[in-house]
Amino acid sequence: VSPRRRRRAALTADLAIEVDGRPVPATSGQSLLGVLVGAGVWTQRRHPVTGRPEAGLCGMGTCQACEVAVGGAGTVRACSTEVTDGMSVRTAAGAGAPS
Ligand code: FES
């Protein structure tokens, strides 16, 4: 994601979430996957068998490669989850990602 897109996303942000311990701006109505990619988090989980890093592929809830851990909600598919204010997210890019 280009610095220009990051700046534009920050200008429209009306929510704040935390991803792997760092604050990330978000906009109401965005999917969690969109927020993660916009923040440069390209690895959402590790493959449960091979352990290789995976990122969302389908964007419609079928591949499961975008699974992340959300505080209070457990493991969710980021592409099918709307971001909410104060959300706490763990990914494979950080630690404690689902597999
Ligand atoms: S991107 Fe495939 S399930 Fe989310």
Side-chain angles (χ1 to χ4, degrees):
V1 177
S2 72
R4 184 175 166 200
R5 281 190 180 228
R6 279 203 188 125
R7 282 195 301 274
R8 187 180 331 147
L11 287 175
T12 61
D14 61 349
L15 305 176
I17 69 170
E18 177 257 321
V19 179
D20 297 327
R22 70 180 173 108
V24 172
T27 303
S28 298
Q30 274 188 296
S31 73
L32 180 55
L33 183 60
V35 173
L36 293 174
V37 170
V41 180
W42 294 97
T43 298
Q44 282 86 51
R45 75 164 192 175
R46 295 202 174 274
H47 189 277
V49 175
T50 67
R52 290 187 305 203
E54 291 190 315
L57 293 172
C58 69
M60 58 185 190
T62 57
C63 74
Q64 303 178 18
C66 67
E67 286 181 335
V68 295
V70 172
T75 301
V76 302
R77 294 176 188 168
C79 68
S80 307
T81 302
E82 189 171 320
V83 70
T84 58
D85 197 32
M87 197 176 244
S88 178
V89 183
R90 296 291 171 267
T91 74
S99 59

